[in-house]
Amino acid sequence: MGSVARRCGSFACRKPSEIMRLVVTTFIGLVFGFFIGVSFPTLSLTKLNLPSGLLPSIDLAYLEGKYTNRWSLMKNNNNTKSTSPLKQLKHEAKIWVPSNPRGAERLPPAIVEAESDYYLRRLWGKPSEDITFKPKYLVTFTVGAGQKRNIDAAVKKFSGNFTILLFHYDGRTTEWDEFEWSKRAIHVSARKQTKWWYSKRFLHPDIVAPYDYIFIWDEDLGLEHFNAEEYLRLVKKHGLEISQPGLEPNKGLTWQMTKRRVRQEVHKVTQEKEGWCSDPHLPPCAAFVEIMAPVFSRDAWRCVWHMIQNDLVHGWGLDFALRKCVEPAHEKIGVVDAQWIVHQGVPSLGNQGEKEPGKAPWQGVRDRCQKEWQMFQIRMADSEKEYYQSMGYDVSNYSVPMFS
């Protein structure tokens, strides 16, 4: 009898009601402990290592994140009582603005500066007080130090309304400090590079956007009979988007279109050699200026810049394609006769070519110019053909025109 009594004192001999009470008590204790744990974010639930089958319907990671965020918000509200919802908004919503410039889509639009300028600024003081006057026009010359006197005379024909930008193909920039205006000018230097190489890299439309007109001129021009402000007055009067001054007829004349007409303000058409003009409204009889002294409106330059090829540095053939950037071209491209210049024909940059056996340095440069003209014509024709073909037109008879 004594042995039986000892056995009944074990867990197995307890009454069913007592067993159930124990199970329920244990379960309630676990649940209570669980909720105590999730109420305090400093204790990670994922580190409790509870048996996977004990609470099969509860996602611990989800609950931890949910209650941790809620606890943090409650704590911040209690501490500051005025916290801006911006932090929560930035956490929940990322900025993406497709209309921003490429690469800047993650920025809020109000902070994006898509354009720049060549206005000089101070190193001190308030930024808002740096610029007391903003020039409306830009003139560039591609220069060597040997033409300092000529450029000095030329710059004096441009008022304070112009930003002066010099591209130095010989690397000699400090020698220009003798001129007071040079100290206010912008100087960019790269040896043995042409003005179209410079223009493609330093005259991006978004950089020169503040300027109404952009002059991109050679260094060997005589401006004795030229006034820049009067020139632009005539440009605006006659609605020219692309223009150049008339050329003095006795020197440096290649095309009839650019020849100065006496007793005229502006001309837009001319007569050329027989067979040169398939259409009186096309180059070189109309819609044409040369590349030695072109002047572009802001909108026209934005188009022309995209047409300049990175590797075709001399720009030959570009003058025949300028018409593609304005419409109607025969009305918006012209020559200003009342303000005329002289092309002096100084072979400065051309003489910096590489000397070859039996050839002067300038001859190699000239050969490349002619090759680039042919290459540009072919590229333009091929690109137009590809476009029209993509639009469903028959291009089987399309060919490269004499002057594209």
Side-chain angles (χ1 to χ4, degrees):
M1 294 293 292
S3 63
V4 174
R6 283 194 297 271
R7 286 195 204 95
C8 289
S10 66
F11 179 83
C13 292
R14 293 185 180 182
K15 295 180 180 180
S17 59
E18 293 178 351
I19 296 175
M20 181 57 66
R21 189 182 303 118
L22 180 61
V23 171
V24 170
T25 301
T26 303
F27 179 80
I28 292 175
L30 289 173
V31 171
F32 180 77
F34 169 78
F35 282 105
I36 289 295
V38 299
S39 299
F40 294 92
T42 55
L43 298 177
S44 176
L45 292 174
T46 57
K47 296 180 181 179
L48 294 178
N49 296 322
L50 296 177
S52 60
L54 186 59
L55 298 172
S57 62
I58 299 176
D59 186 334
L60 297 181
Y62 166 77
L63 286 173
E64 180 186 17
K66 177 179 178 181
Y67 283 94
T68 299
N69 292 338
R70 184 173 298 175
W71 176 264
S72 299
L73 289 173
M74 290 173 62
K75 185 167 65 174
N76 289 337
N77 287 336
N78 291 334
N79 290 339
T80 65
K81 298 186 182 298
S82 60
T83 302
S84 168
L86 181 59
K87 288 186 177 179
Q88 182 180 0
L89 180 63
K90 290 170 65 176
H91 177 74
E92 296 177 355
K94 298 295 184 181
I95 294 176
W96 184 261
V97 186
S99 59
N100 278 359
R102 187 177 63 179
E105 294 87 353
R106 291 181 174 84
L107 298 177
I111 200 63
V112 173
E113 288 273 10
E115 298 176 348
S116 190
D117 55 64
Y118 279 116
Y119 302 145
L120 298 178
R121 292 184 174 271
R122 305 175 302 176
L123 303 181
W124 64 93
K126 297 179 180 179
S128 59
E129 298 175 355
D130 284 348
I131 303 172
T132 57
F133 175 76
K134 294 183 178 181
K136 296 172 60 178
Y137 317 117
L138 174 69
V139 58
T140 77
F141 293 97
T142 304
V143 302
Q147 288 290 95
K148 281 194 303 181
R149 300 301 165 190
N150 191 55
I151 293 298
D152 178 48
V155 166
K156 292 175 181 177
K157 296 292 183 174
F158 294 86
S159 70
N161 241 344
F162 286 80
T163 293
I164 308 298
L165 172 57
L166 299 187
F167 297 131
H168 298 268
Y169 60 75
D170 60 357
R172 297 162 63 182
T173 59
T174 57
E175 296 180 34
W176 296 76
D177 287 347
E178 64 179 279
F179 306 119
E180 190 62 31
W181 58 263
S182 178
K183 298 174 184 177
R184 301 185 303 272
I186 310 295
H187 297 264
V188 179
S189 177
R191 293 179 182 274
K192 297 189 177 183
Q193 300 303 316
T194 70
K195 74 175 182 181
W196 297 109
W197 182 91
Y198 281 112
S199 297
K200 187 65 174 178
R201 289 151 182 84
F202 297 100
L203 297 182
H204 188 282
D206 289 342
I207 300 297
V208 301
Y211 304 105
D212 293 342
Y213 291 92
I214 300 99
F215 293 59
I216 304 179
W217 282 19
D218 289 354
E219 63 180 337
D220 58 342
L221 302 175
L223 275 63
E224 182 181 353
H225 305 281
F226 180 82
N227 178 282
E229 292 283 356
E230 178 62 17
Y231 177 89
L232 288 177
R233 185 188 71 80
L234 295 173
V235 162
K236 296 171 186 176
K237 176 182 176 180
H238 293 274
L240 300 178
E241 296 289 323
I242 301 175
S243 62
Q244 74 160 78
L247 288 178
E248 209 284 328
N250 297 324
K251 198 166 187 179
L253 185 66
T254 304
W255 307 98
Q256 290 297 313
M257 179 64 185
T258 58
K259 180 179 179 180
R260 176 196 172 214
R261 307 276 181 87
V262 182
R263 292 183 294 276
Q264 281 190 223
E265 286 187 341
V266 166
H267 72 272
K268 302 178 181 180
V269 296
T270 191
Q271 295 290 324
E272 264 294 353
K273 296 178 181 178
E274 186 176 353
W276 276 26
C277 298
S278 58
D279 186 314
H281 288 165
L282 293 180
C285 288
F288 175 78
V289 296
E290 292 189 75
I291 59 173
M292 74 173 71
V295 179
F296 303 95
S297 70
R298 180 193 299 108
D299 291 340
W301 177 246
R302 183 168 290 276
C303 172
V304 172
W305 183 89
H306 284 89
M307 189 165 55
I308 299 172
Q309 306 291 287
N310 283 318
D311 58 332
L312 305 185
V313 296
H314 291 288
W316 278 38
L318 189 64
D319 38 13
F320 284 88
L322 295 176
R323 63 186 177 87
K324 300 179 185 296
C325 287
V326 292
E327 182 66 33
H330 66 280
E331 291 290 338
K332 294 188 177 182
I333 300 179
V335 176
V336 179
D337 300 292
Q339 295 295 313
W340 49 283
I341 61 176
V342 176
H343 185 207
Q344 299 165 341
V346 178
S348 47
L349 179 59
N351 282 339
Q352 296 200 21
E354 185 176 9
K355 188 174 182 179
E356 299 178 8
K359 276 188 177 182
W362 68 266
Q363 289 178 302
V365 174
R366 178 56 62 95
D367 289 345
R368 172 155 177 166
C369 289
Q370 293 173 342
K371 290 177 183 177
E372 286 193 7
W373 189 357
Q374 296 174 355
M375 293 172 67
F376 183 80
Q377 282 184 301
I378 293 172
R379 288 185 190 181
M380 179 61 74
D382 287 347
S383 64
E384 290 183 337
K385 182 178 179 180
E386 180 181 348
Y387 170 78
Y388 289 125
Q389 190 172 27
S390 70
M391 299 298 291
Y393 292 97
D394 181 10
V395 294
S396 56
N397 294 323
Y398 193 91
S399 59
V400 179
M402 178 179 177
F403 301 117
S404 60

